Amino acid sequence: MLSTLAYVALAATWAVASPLASVPDEPAHMIRAAAVVRAQIVTEAWPSFPAWAGVIVPEYIANTPQLTCFAFQPSVTPDCAPPGAVADDLRSPTSTGTSAALNSPLFYYLVGWPTLFFTGELALYAMRFVNALMFGALMGLAMTQLRRMRRAPRWSMVAFVAATTPMALYLGGSVNPNGVEAAGTLALYLLVLSSLQQAPRGVWRTFSPIVIAATALLVVNSRSIGFLWVAIVILLAITQTGWRRFFNAIRTRWTTVTLALSAVMVVASLAWFTVLPEYDQSAILVNPTSPRLALMSAAFGVFDDGKGLIGFFGWLDTPAPEFSALAYGAAGLGFLLFSSGMTRGVDRWIPLAFASVIVIVPAAVQTIVADELGYIWQGRYLLAMYMCFIVASGLALDQQVTRRGADGLESTDRIARYLIFGLCVAQIVAFLHVMKRYVVGEDGTYDQMLTGPDWVPPGGWIPISVAFAIIVLACGYLANSVSRQARGVVVRSSAERTTD
């Protein structure tokens, strides 16, 4: 529960701090959500732009694209938006279009309902808060399964901190399915893994099939690639625990119910793609390229994709500051090197499998769509696999520490503590960097933020930044405390083995 509240608070802070419509495609997702909860699920093409679906939503929702006047212009602040563009009294039904109409409606049902009760900016922020609630619940669920699986989650706890990049929290506080997709995929991976390693008991045995199936349902309905993520994490989780254990597990009623529910959810989700209308994609300006060139660009651009995993804020106009990028980048590389170099067997190959997906999927997707859509891939699309990769690496290192006993902890106490603290500082630095970009623009100064801000979020940027820093440092302290508990657990286990 505590971890859920912490992640909800972090995502909700981002929801208030970042300007409305500042997240990529957020206006399209807001319009889609408002349309879906008004029973406009499958609609005809928008006459003004046939590549998009035409919908009728309240005027303040239809006006959200006007808020993006600062997009792609890091020196321009959000005060450029027309005054009153999303005012509370703009409720009249208005025809507009959305590029998100091909996405499954489930996510939009979940985030769009506040527009039925609120209007204006309050309704838009409420949608963000609902998304933050879902993101936090899924991250809390993932943390719960991690603690359930490992009595001594030392490096997996550090990995959990490293996996929660600034970009993950930023997306978690927006109206965009990317953040929920990533958190849901990580939760599903740990749910399946923990359930196979240790059969659910008590009340959890009754509810775990529903939770697993619901999590899978949310992931596959976030974005179309969610089907691939679900297949990958389930396959790797089974491989990690052993296929013999899986085949033994499927003989139990619990596993049968879980598989049946999940299968029904996935098949029902696939049915959505049978009713999709066709929109005139020729209206979209694209830059087609050859499959070979797209493959090479995707393969050699894997490190550029890392920017989108750590932090590429706004409409891809505000990269994370160098310190934050270096801290999280070094953590990711460190987990890759140490998990592959210090572990063996399946503990080594599972993180490498996730890392391979991060390299292969963009190249495969770009090769397929290159001649029709050009280069469309963004690093944040891989956030789900990156988070799973980092946590899988931490689990592998924990397994190695358990084998080595107390000797495996002597040299790592200080490293783990410093790494958690450094990542927390990097998280705060990234937040302040984004605040500066929106409050005074990229060319502004921190002194100007204090003396003459051009734009301020609700409540002011200083209170919000202080609150975010306090929450991050508190989470870092708790993560370090849990990580340090591993020492006592492993020492006792080692002593018991010695006594025996």
Side-chain angles (χ1 to χ4, degrees), residues 334-392:
F335 274 108
L336 173 63
L337 295 177
F338 283 107
S339 65
S340 59
M342 296 180 61
T343 61
R344 57 190 179 186
V346 71
D347 292 330
R348 172 186 295 175
W349 294 114
I350 294 299
L352 288 176
F354 277 120
S356 299
V357 171
I358 293 174
V359 175
I360 293 172
V361 169
V365 171
Q366 281 303 147
T367 302
I368 294 172
V369 304
D371 56 353
E372 181 180 354
L373 299 177
Y375 199 89
I376 61 170
W377 194 266
Q378 296 180 30
R380 63 186 174 90
Y381 296 161
L382 287 166
L383 189 58
M385 289 295 98
Y386 181 76
M387 294 174 74
C388 290
F389 152 68
I390 295 292
V391 173

Side-chain angles (χ1 to χ4, degrees), residues 44-379:
E44 300 297 324
W46 187 31
S48 300
F49 193 66
W52 293 359
V55 294
I56 298 177
V57 294
E59 186 178 358
Y60 74 91
I61 295 284
N63 289 347
T64 52
Q66 297 180 24
L67 304 179
T68 63
C69 53
F70 54 85
F72 310 112
Q73 304 178 79
S75 298
V76 178
T77 57
D79 65 323
C80 63
V86 291
D88 294 351
D89 57 348
L90 300 179
R91 306 179 185 179
S92 59
T94 303
S95 176
T96 188
T98 174
S99 60
L102 297 181
N103 293 344
S104 170
L106 178 61
F107 169 80
Y108 300 99
Y109 270 122
L110 295 174
V111 299
W113 62 265
T115 65
L116 298 175
F117 303 95
F118 309 109
T119 61
E121 290 189 354
L122 178 59
L124 303 181
Y125 280 114
M127 283 197 286
R128 281 185 165 188
F129 290 145
V130 172
N131 193 88
L133 184 62
M134 291 193 295
F135 174 83
L138 290 167
M139 292 297 290
L141 178 61
M143 176 67 76
T144 300
Q145 297 309 303
L146 181 65
R147 295 296 306 275
R148 177 176 178 268
M149 188 166 38
R150 303 292 303 173
R151 286 195 305 157
R154 183 178 190 75
W155 286 108
S156 51
M157 181 59 64
V158 178
F160 209 95
V161 175
T164 312
T165 64
M167 194 67 181
L169 295 179
Y170 175 69
L171 292 169
S174 70
V175 183
N176 188 305
N178 206 163
V180 171
E181 171 201 50
T185 302
L186 177 62
L188 182 63
Y189 168 59
L190 293 176
L191 274 167
V192 176
L193 193 62
S194 65
S195 298
L196 289 175
Q197 287 189 359
Q198 182 180 345
R201 299 176 181 176
V203 177
W204 178 239
R205 182 180 179 85
T206 302
F207 289 100
S208 59
I210 300 174
V211 173
I212 292 174
T215 304
L217 176 68
L218 191 56
V219 173
V220 299
N221 284 279
S222 56
R223 296 190 308 129
S224 56
I225 203 169
F227 288 96
L228 178 61
W229 298 158
V230 167
I232 289 174
V233 297
I234 291 178
L235 177 63
L236 292 183
I238 294 173
T239 303
Q240 192 167 349
T241 54
W243 285 89
R244 178 178 295 179
R245 179 174 292 184
F246 170 71
F247 287 126
N248 289 334
I250 60 177
R251 299 173 184 172
T252 65
R253 176 188 237 177
W254 171 87
T255 308
T256 302
V257 172
T258 302
L259 289 174
L261 279 175
S262 300
V264 169
M265 297 293 189
V266 171
V267 171
S269 301
L270 284 171
W272 161 253
F273 294 97
T274 65
V275 299
L276 285 178
E278 292 188 6
Y279 300 112
D280 184 10
Q281 299 300 312
S282 63
I284 300 178
L285 295 176
V286 298
N287 185 22
T289 185
S290 68
R292 173 187 286 185
L293 182 59
L295 175 61
M296 294 179 62
S297 299
F300 288 105
V302 64
F303 290 104
D304 288 334
D305 287 340
K307 297 177 183 178
L309 298 172
I310 296 171
F312 211 161
F313 307 99
W315 289 73
L316 305 183
D317 54 30
T318 308
E322 292 182 0
F323 174 75
S324 301
L326 179 62
Y328 277 92
L333 182 60
F335 274 108
L336 173 63
L337 295 177
F338 283 107
S339 65
S340 59
M342 296 180 61
T343 61
R344 57 190 179 186
V346 71
D347 292 330
R348 172 186 295 175
W349 294 114
I350 294 299
L352 288 176
F354 277 120
S356 299
V357 171
I358 293 174
V359 175
I360 293 172
V361 169
V365 171
Q366 281 303 147
T367 302
I368 294 172
V369 304
D371 56 353
E372 181 180 354
L373 299 177
Y375 199 89
I376 61 170
W377 194 266
Q378 296 180 30

